[in-house]
Amino acid sequence: MAAERPPIERSLRTLVVDDEPLAVERLQVICASLDGVLVVGTAADGASASRLIQALSPDLILLDIAMPGLDGMGLARSLEGLAARPAVVFCTAFDQYAVAAFDVAACDYLLKPITPERLARAVGRVRDVARQSTSAPSPPKTEWLQEIWAPHRAEMIRLAVKTIDRIEAERDYMRLCVGTRSYLVHQTIGELERKLDPGIFIRLHRSLIVRRDFIGGLRHDGRGAWQASLLDRSTVRIGRTYLAAAKALAGR
């Protein structure tokens, strides 16, 4: 008896939202070249897109961020109460919204100019998320940041927050250190700290946050200052403001 064929997945009904006509046209052309993607409408601003979402119930929104009136981030937030919430893939020229994108549960974050290969991977991720949501129970929701998109070469990559060893402030940017690699994201240390689970991360200095289990020990330098020894064999100074919390790690 012939083996059963897997069911053919229906096309993702897609809405393109961008205030630049050339960007809309480019996304339409790319979508037409991809299997299983059907553009059902376009919009040039968030308000128009919101009306189309109600009328068309798309599966996927390819969404710019910087738009007049209701911007892409505001539109994504407005979708949270929908019973059948469409997947959101941001398509933008700016990387500074990458951290905020996880607050609205975006599936991916693409930097312009969008390439067919990169959009194809994003569509694959949307389908993977949809399969997981129907085949497995949803993980418990948490108020803390779980993932971050970070610029890497010409694209954005997804970093699991729990893999970040240390976070160093560089003016309005944060350097995320993961093993021997590091990535810059546009965010201040105070904004990022508020989104991180304090049970996993601790701030040791006004310009440094470290994963708690990446700290190997604490020591006094004999001149009134305390330092933390990290698992990568580096040593960092502990600021006085953060010393009490650091000592609590050792039960002192």
Side-chain angles (χ1 to χ4, degrees), residues 130-170:
R131 292 189 198 103
Q132 291 168 9
S133 66
T134 57
S135 63
S138 300
K141 291 185 177 180
T142 174
E143 62 182 300
W144 308 115
L145 194 63
Q146 300 295 303
E147 298 176 301
I148 297 177
W149 273 298
H152 179 62
R153 297 175 183 169
E155 64 175 341
M156 306 291 289
I157 64 170
R158 204 178 186 105
L159 300 176
V161 168
K162 63 183 180 182
T163 67
I164 299 172
D165 301 323
R166 56 197 283 177
I167 301 167
E168 302 168 354
E170 297 185 13

Side-chain angles (χ1 to χ4, degrees), residues 8-60:
I8 298 174
E9 293 180 298
R10 70 178 180 84
S11 294
L12 291 171
R13 303 177 71 258
T14 302
L15 178 66
V16 177
V17 185
D18 198 308
D19 64 335
E20 299 177 9
L22 288 178
V24 171
E25 183 178 342
R26 179 178 178 83
L27 285 172
Q28 286 179 299
V29 170
I30 294 175
C31 286
S33 71
L34 301 178
D35 291 332
V37 179
L38 174 66
V39 175
V40 295
T42 67
D45 58 76
S48 299
S50 182
R51 292 191 290 271
L52 284 175
I53 290 167
Q54 294 180 32
L56 300 173
S57 299
D59 306 305
L60 169 63

Side-chain angles (χ1 to χ4, degrees), residues 52-76:
L52 284 175
I53 290 167
Q54 294 180 32
L56 300 173
S57 299
D59 306 305
L60 169 63
I61 305 175
L62 302 180
L63 182 58
D64 190 17
I65 293 180
M67 295 185 295
L70 180 65
D71 66 7
M73 203 61 70
L75 176 63

Side-chain angles (χ1 to χ4, degrees), residues 89 107-110 117-127:
V89 171
C107 280
D108 213 332
Y109 192 104
L110 311 187
E117 296 77 16
R118 188 65 183 90
L119 185 55
R121 294 209 306 271
V123 169
R125 179 170 290 150
V126 169
R127 289 199 178 279

